[in-house]
Amino acid sequence: MGRIAETVAPMTDSVLGPRSAADTAADIARSRQQIAELTLAYCRGVDRADEALLKSIFHDDSIVVSGAFDGNGHQFAVEICAIVRAVFDQTLHSIDHQWIEVTGDTAMGETYVVAVSTMTDLDRGKSEMLTGGRYLDRFTRRDGVWKFAARTFVSEWSRVDGTSCTDDAPSAMQGLGDHPAARWH
């Protein structure tokens, strides 16, 4: 995870003198890429119920408003991972178009997401929940590292249906042998 959040320290007038337009543009481009990687890490962290990964992308004083949990980002990491483990057989978040506006050491973002989750209900069997919405984010760079300062999920639509998925379907990991991807599962 370290390389997702690590950055080159921002170029500031007090350290390096006046910035050129090219330096400012390069810093904004690097910042946008690092922020985009944070949003990918978020999806991976939720889908894999990886509490450590999720904690690493939120500032200590961050705020999350998600509907499932509202509060501090680090506590969100604990709670959402417990929910994923207890309720879902699997989850997959897929992010779509993303808008990021960087101003110095702060940034605002809006990212569209579609998530599918499979769950087993003792009364109804397996079902799939399909949800679409947007993440409204505020990011800050502190000590050269971008992290979430605030994240709000806005649900646009959701549906729950029965599923045709079966537990006896072959795993995507079968046949990988010693391939590095087999270790990521």
Side-chain angles (χ1 to χ4, degrees):
M1 172 53 211
R3 69 191 150 110
I4 291 174
E6 291 173 6
T7 65
V8 175
M11 292 181 253
T12 61
D13 294 341
S14 63
V15 175
L16 301 176
R19 291 203 227 185
S20 71
D23 289 341
T24 299
D27 182 56
I28 289 170
R30 279 191 305 273
S31 294
R32 282 186 178 142
Q33 181 60 41
Q34 291 160 356
I35 290 166
E37 289 176 11
L38 285 174
T39 63
L40 293 172
Y42 173 88
C43 293
R44 181 182 177 93
V46 172
D47 291 343
R48 295 199 174 12
D50 186 337
E51 186 178 316
L53 174 59
L54 287 171
K55 284 182 177 180
S56 74
I57 62 175
F58 286 98
H59 285 297
D60 291 342
D61 59 347
S62 60
I63 300 295
V64 175
V65 177
S66 71
F69 175 85
D70 298 344
N72 176 272
H74 287 200
Q75 189 60 36
F76 168 79
V78 173
E79 297 297 326
I80 199 66
C81 289
I83 291 168
V84 168
R85 284 187 213 99
V87 176
F88 300 111
D89 299 326
Q90 65 82 33
T91 64
L92 183 136
H93 287 72
S94 179
I95 56 174
D96 198 349
H97 46 287
Q98 186 173 47
W99 167 84
I100 300 167
E101 183 177 311
V102 177
T103 307
D105 289 337
T106 63
M108 302 298 286
E110 179 180 51
T111 304
Y112 286 72
V113 62
V114 173
V116 62
S117 303
T118 304
M119 56 200 134
T120 303
D121 183 313
L122 296 177
D123 297 328
R124 296 181 295 171
K126 283 197 179 290
S127 59
E128 289 178 339
M129 180 170 51
L130 189 62
T131 303
R134 296 173 292 130
Y135 294 115
L136 305 177
D137 298 313
R138 185 169 48 85
F139 305 92
T140 57
R141 178 168 48 189
R142 300 177 190 168
D143 298 321
V145 179
W146 285 103
K147 292 186 180 185
F148 287 97
R151 169 158 266 205
T152 299
F153 175 67
V154 178
S155 179
E156 300 286 350
W157 55 269
S158 186
R159 63 185 244 193
V160 177
D161 296 309
T163 181
S164 60
C165 293
T166 61
D167 289 334
D168 59 352
S171 168
M173 303 315 252
Q174 288 178 337
L176 288 177
D178 292 331
H179 189 278
R183 294 189 298 268
W184 297 340
H185 187 261

